[in-house]
Amino acid sequence: MTPTQCKAARRRLAWSIEELAHRAMRSHTVVGEFERGKKPGSAAVLASLCCAFAEAGVDAEAMLKVRTAVMNGILAADHTTAEPFARRPFRRAA
């Protein structure tokens, strides 16, 4: 997930940075710095954010695939958006 995708998904859910941080069990400082691009997200932070978004019905797995493509130089970072990551119905595992 890129910082832009994180911010767009958070806004789409109408969450504040504090709300996302609470749901991801991270500090609001870490989430805010990641969204602003001041610090890269560690694997643990990205996993926490993806879990929080997934629980809200956002396709976080697709966000991670885009992040991997950006890191591998397959996709330019400025061409990523959160549009493909619209909310989907959330289904709990049985």
Side-chain angles (χ1 to χ4, degrees), residues 12-62:
R12 177 173 235 134
L13 294 167
W15 289 352
S16 65
I17 287 176
E18 291 78 12
E19 177 71 16
L20 174 56
H22 174 75
R23 289 173 181 259
M25 294 184 281
R26 298 289 168 180
S27 76
H28 69 278
T29 303
V30 168
V31 174
E33 287 177 345
F34 171 69
E35 277 194 2
R36 289 188 297 279
K38 292 193 175 211
K39 288 191 178 178
S42 68
V45 168
L46 292 175
S48 296
L49 293 171
C50 284
C51 285
F53 286 134
E55 288 178 2
V58 174
D59 189 357
E61 183 179 338

Side-chain angles (χ1 to χ4, degrees), residues 1-10 20 34-35 49 53 63:
M1 158 185 354
T2 66
T4 302
Q5 291 171 326
C6 181
K7 188 173 190 175
R10 178 180 60 77
L20 174 56
F34 171 69
E35 277 194 2
L49 293 171
F53 286 134
M63 294 173 108

